[in-house]
Every structure is written in structure tokens, then in C-alpha cells.
Amino acid sequence: MSTAADRARSESPTQAPPRLDLRAAAGSGIFEYAPAPESVRPAIADRYGLFINGRFTDPTSSKRFTTINPATEQTLAEIAEANEQDVDAAVKAARAALPAWSALPGKERAKYLYRIARRLQERARELAVLETMDGGKPIKESRDVDIPLAAAHFFHHAGWADKLQYAFPGREPKPVGVCGQIIPWNFPLLMAAWKIAPAIACGNTVVLKPAETTPLTALRLAEICAEIGLPPGVVNIVTGAGATGAAIVNHPGIDKIAFTGSTEVGKLIARAVAPTRKRLTLELGGKSANIIFEDASIDQAVEGIVEGIYFNQGHVCCAGSRLFVQESILDTVIAKLRDRMRTLRVGDPLDKNTDVGAINSKAQLATIEKYLESGAEEGAERHDCGSGELPAKGYFCRPCFFTGVQPSHAIAREEIFGPVLAVMSFRTPEEAISRANNTPFGLAAGVWTDKGSKIFDTARRLDAGVVWLNTYNKFDPTSPFGGFKESGFGREGGRHGLSAYLA
Ligand code: NAP
Ligand code: MG
């Protein structure tokens, strides 16, 4: 049976279907590409206030500091410095908001978290560019990792808000109260999402302090909270340096401290909180090991190692900064690593082809350089990588790896927090495990092998909060993340992460 269209075609076989005028269509906007993320320059105010009780206010001391773009050394904005009085006002606002917020049915709280998540998605380009400008990380990472994961954390926890009794059967879930949250500069918006989303999903209210060098996206998140009508006082964001963080830690009106940062400051906080009734979770530093067995798929492993150390310029607490390679494949791995690493592009973080962006601050660059010197002084051999000249301005560091590293070398023991990898070898699985565990830290590890039994045996015996198998640096809101030993205690993400925000 022929249709009218078939008949029409057979009647005029040479007549071509009408052509789309592509030029006219492009002009009308139908086929235009969305602008590249880096071409959307977010508006940045000259100065920012403190976000307390749903409004931006000036700091009582009128003191301000500047945040810069580490890739250009240009000042981006003046940021308010909160003192004890400002922190007190934020804690009071959080306390006042607590009864109504915690009494709200979970499904109503969830609606606010969903709205925040959606706004993060809608404003993703602006947030990605801002994150890159304020912190120096490559735009492809802020665009593809930081911002989507931050939104995912709000979505995930929105889903839990009305199901807490199912997450913890037999327990009547109650919020802890007012939470003081202090975060570092390596994943500014993502760390804010990791902290705020579970806290408010469980009915807590928060006072959060972003790091001094990267406050801008947390302040955008404050704007979003106001924009979506989050009740005033549920989220308060106070900017400042270490003293502002200490004021939060020491405030008697805080019920729980959640801290992500260095082990050094984590220990100070643990001491300050010990004589109080405050609850505490600490996500601290790391010196994570990647172990490659001789039966691993070497090309795949090399990709994972590169990802593990050069992602975010190595400013990653769980960076795979120690590499243990089985002796029989050491030369092959080093050769492949050198070839792969040569291709890394170092430079302008706003260029979407950049792999390694700017080091977050001058101080951090100096720390990394100190370790580069110590590696050479202690007798290890440095292999510089990355293509192209380093930009003349800004804080940049060529990624590198060291061979001939001894376990006693500082570069093998201490957290560098930069794109520097220490390569070592091992003979037996026993030796790999004992050397990987021979560190005061215990945040993460990677195991590369073709053998399922070896995977499970090794993972079980590694003292690390996260063990990635034939992959590295994979994050998901459903997976708990946290450390062993001096990498801290408590988990963020998953059901374990929720538990930390329930009494
Ligand atoms: P940091 O110096 O410990 O700072 C972290 C946060 O604490 C910042 O907001 C900082 O403020 C604040 N702070 C500083 N001194 C304080 C004090 N005495 N009391 C209260 N707060 C204080 O760490 P960082 O150098 O920013 O970050 C890098 C470290 O964080 C690395 O060691 C890394 O491994 C760790 N980290 C861990 C994880 C994890 O999940 N385990 C994740 C990310 C980073 P200012 O910045 O304004 O000084
Ligand atoms: Mg900055």
C-alpha cells in the first residue's frame, strides 16, 4: 500500500526535498553553539560582605583582604574579614534559624536543596569560570568536575532529606544543631557543597568559612541561597583567614565542627575541641600510594597515575603522590610516564586545552619549590615534564616526577600538594603493601592489576579510606570519603556522611 508521500515522490522523482538555508538558520540562532565556558566572564563585584542571616553585611571591623587570580596575579575583589563579633552574629543567626528549619518536614527541606542544585546547574558556566579565575585550576576541571559534582551533592542529599529514618532504621534521626564548617582552597565550591548539603538536609544550620584565597564561589553560593529563598540563617558564610576559622572552632554556640584542610591545623582544632561537647570530623592531608603490579594494563595505569598526580596541579588531598611500580616493569612505566607527561599542557587555566593550570598561591608555589630542591639535594633524579613555556606572570610549576627516591626522602614522606610524583619500586605484593602503609597518612590508594584476587587482597590490607581499583580520583556523592590515621576521621558522602550530621 503506497502512501500519499510515496506517490508524490514517484510522481516527481527528480525533485529534491526542500533545502534548509543553513546561513539563515544560523542567523536565527537555531544552530549556534552555546558560548564556550571561558568566554562567559562572570561579573565580579569590587567588594563582598559577609553572608549572615540571609543578607550581605559589612564586617564590624571594616577590615578587608584581597583575593587574586593566581594565573595573572591580578586582584579580583576585596573580601570582608570576619572577626569574633561577626562570627558570633553568624552563629546567633544559625541558632535562631535552627528550630524552624529542623522542624520542617524533610520533603520541604528537600525542595530547597533541589533548588540550590538546579541553580548551580543553571549558573554552571559562570561558576566554573569564577572557580578557575579565583583558584587557578584548569577550566576543563571546574567545568567537568567541580561544578557538576557540587550540584550532584545537593541533588543526592535532597533525596535523603525525607528518607533519613530509612537510612538509619531504628534510630530517630535528629540534627546535631549549629555546624561550623571550614574548608580549603583546592575545591572551593565542591567542598562547600560537601559540607552544606548533608548538614542542611539533616535539619542543621551552618556557619561556613571558605579559604582566604578562594572565597568567590562560596559567596556566589550564598547569593544562590538568598535567590532561591532559603530561610535566613540556615546557611551563613563568613570570609576571613585562619583567625576567622579559629573563632568558629572556639565559639561556644557551635555543636559540631567539620574541617577539611591540613593535618597541622586539624591537630590544632582537635586540641581546641577536645575539652568541649562539640562533635568533630576532620578531613586532612594525604600521601596516597598508587601501586602498579606487573600484570596491570600499563597504558591504562599510566593514564590513572597522570590523573592522580597532575589533576588540579596536585592540589588534591588524595593525590596519588607516591608511585610504587613492580620492579620488572619499572623501566617501561618510567618511559611511558615520561612520554605521556610530555604532552601535558601547562598554562592559562581559562584555556580549555590546558591540563595543568596555576598554583593556587605564591606561598604554595614556594612550598612546592622547596620540595623540588630537597628532592634533588637528597639525591633523587627529577624529570621535568609538560609542553610549552611557562607563562611569565602568575604562579606556575612544571609538573615533574622523581626517580631514585628513597622512603626516607622528604618528597616520599611529606605532603607536597603540588604536581610532583615520587616513583619507587617493589618486588613482592607484601613489600608493596608494607611500603604503601608506611606513612602517617591514610587517605586514598590506587591498585593496578589484572587479577581480581590481588585487587581484593591488596585493597583489604591498605590503610586508606578510599582504594581505587584500576582507576583513580573518581568521586561520587554516594561514596563515603575520608581518612585513616593522620588523614583524619569521619566520612563525607554516602550514608556514612549523613550520619555525621545526625545526633
Ligand atoms: P589549611 O591551612 O589547614 O586551611 C584549611 C582551612 O582552615 C582554611 O579555610 C584556613 O583558612 C583555615 N584555617 C587556618 N588556620 C586555622 C585555624 N587555626 N583554625 C581554624 N581554621 C583555620 O589547609 P590548606 O593549606 O588551605 O589546604 C590544604 C590542605 O588541605 C592539604 O593538607 C590537603 O591535604 C587538605 N585537604 C584535605 C581534604 C580531605 O578531604 N581530606 C580535602 C582538601 C584538602 P585560610 O585559608 O584563610 O588560612
Ligand atoms: Mg583567589
Side-chain angles (χ1 to χ4, degrees):
M1 202 171 85
S2 66
T3 63
D6 291 338
R7 276 197 302 279
R9 262 198 297 277
S10 64
E11 278 158 19
S12 53
T14 52
Q15 197 176 328
R19 277 248 179 114
L20 254 180
D21 182 344
L22 288 177
R23 227 174 276 164
S28 71
I30 301 177
F31 292 131
E32 265 168 23
Y33 288 116
E38 68 278 11
S39 65
V40 178
R41 289 296 156 105
I44 300 176
D46 291 340
R47 46 171 50 191
Y48 286 89
L50 306 167
F51 187 68
I52 298 175
N53 208 23
R55 289 189 318 117
F56 281 96
T57 54
D58 285 332
T60 48
S61 69
S62 308
K63 277 200 192 152
R64 290 177 190 270
F65 58 96
T66 56
T67 186
I68 65 154
N69 178 341
T72 60
E73 299 177 44
Q74 274 164 352
T75 297
L76 295 173
E78 284 187 7
I79 307 295
E81 187 177 319
N83 61 13
E84 283 180 10
Q85 236 175 305
D86 300 310
V87 168
D88 184 51
V91 173
K92 284 192 174 130
R95 178 65 56 193
L98 185 65
W101 181 249
S102 57
L104 210 58
K107 73 178 196 321
E108 295 304 317
R109 283 201 304 272
K111 288 179 189 168
Y112 291 100
L113 279 100
Y114 279 124
R115 272 186 230 158
I116 295 174
R118 287 196 199 103
R119 273 319 267 155
L120 290 174
Q121 288 184 321
E122 284 159 9
R123 295 178 67 169
R125 281 169 179 259
E126 162 203 352
L127 288 163
V129 177
L130 198 59
E131 198 71 306
T132 284
M133 290 175 76
D134 203 14
K137 65 173 62 194
I139 185 74
K140 67 178 178 190
E141 292 178 10
S142 353
R143 180 196 62 191
D144 298 345
V145 182
D146 293 65
I147 312 302
L149 264 181
H153 270 267
F154 278 98
F155 277 122
H156 176 81
H157 289 97
W160 273 124
D162 62 346
K163 301 174 196 70
L164 296 173
Q165 69 274 32
Y166 306 109
F168 306 100
R171 181 170 152 189
E172 198 190 324
K174 285 202 191 71
V176 181
V178 175
C179 303
Q181 307 182 317
I182 301 165
I183 56 172
W185 42 261
N186 54 350
F187 292 92
L189 184 68
L190 183 57
M191 287 296 121
W194 275 31
K195 295 272 182 286
I196 294 175
I200 65 174
C202 293
N204 303 279
T205 55
V206 312
V207 176
L208 175 125
K209 188 195 95 65
E212 198 181 344
T213 56
T214 53
L216 292 181
T217 46
L219 291 167
R220 277 297 207 269
L221 181 59
E223 275 174 33
I224 288 176
C225 290
E227 201 179 275
I228 62 108
L230 188 73
V234 173
V235 169
N236 302 275
I237 296 189
V238 289
T239 42
T244 309
I248 295 176
V249 169
N250 295 323
H251 196 292
I254 297 261
D255 299 303
K256 172 189 162 65
I257 294 289
F259 173 78
T260 296
S262 60
T263 295
E264 189 189 346
V265 175
K267 284 181 181 175
L268 287 178
I269 293 178
R271 263 185 228 120
V273 165
T276 73
R277 59 174 181 82
K278 288 173 197 159
R279 302 225 331 221
L280 177 65
T281 44
L282 296 174
E283 302 273 6
L284 308 176
K287 191 75 185 171
S288 301
N290 245 320
I291 302 173
I292 312 189
F293 288 105
E294 59 192 358
D295 54 41
S297 158
I298 295 181
D299 289 329
Q300 190 191 344
V302 166
E303 278 308 308
I305 290 152
V306 170
E307 166 78 16
I309 188 64
Y310 305 109
F311 178 61
N312 195 14
Q313 296 75 245
H315 299 336
V316 185
C317 48
C318 52
S321 50
R322 290 181 301 151
L323 174 62
F324 294 101
V325 186
Q326 197 149 18
E327 215 168 68
S328 53
I329 54 165
L330 182 64
D331 293 343
T332 316
V333 168
I334 289 175
K336 283 181 184 272
L337 200 56
R338 193 179 295 124
D339 286 349
R340 174 64 180 89
M341 304 252 315
R342 271 203 200 112
T343 67
L344 290 174
R345 293 181 188 221
V346 190
D348 179 7
L350 278 176
D351 181 335
K352 59 184 181 295
N353 296 312
T354 292
D355 299 303
V356 181
I359 300 301
N360 183 266
S361 64
K362 195 174 183 175
Q364 186 58 29
L365 181 58
T367 304
I368 298 169
E369 283 169 349
K370 189 191 82 191
Y371 279 109
L372 295 180
E373 280 165 28
S374 99
E377 275 163 21
E378 290 189 299
E381 188 186 350
R382 176 167 141 197
H383 307 258
D384 277 337
C385 309
S387 61
E389 290 289 304
L390 293 189
K393 226 171 164 42
Y395 312 131
F396 289 90
C397 174
R398 197 170 281 291
C400 68
F401 65 91
F402 278 96
T403 52
V405 180
Q406 297 301 319
S408 58
H409 290 171
I411 54 167
R413 287 184 293 110
E414 296 171 20
E415 184 180 44
I416 302 175
F417 225 56
V420 183
L421 175 68
V423 182
M424 292 165 275
S425 64
F426 66 91
R427 287 190 183 152
T428 64
E430 266 330 293
E431 190 191 348
I433 293 164
S434 73
R435 292 189 63 187
N437 284 342
N438 182 18
T439 163
F441 299 109
L443 197 51
V447 181
W448 301 85
T449 166
D450 226 16
K451 302 268 182 298
S453 55
K454 212 186 270 175
I455 283 180
F456 290 114
D457 183 53
T458 314
R460 196 173 48 80
R461 294 164 63 198
L462 286 171
D463 297 336
V466 178
V467 183
W468 284 292
L469 306 169
N470 290 330
T471 189
Y472 207 84
N473 268 352
K474 293 286 173 281
F475 303 97
D476 189 288
T478 60
S479 307
F481 183 91
F484 269 63
K485 303 194 280 189
E486 291 196 14
S487 292
F489 49 80
R491 295 291 178 264
E492 290 188 306
R495 217 165 51 87
H496 301 71
L498 273 184
S499 172
Y501 285 98
L502 290 170

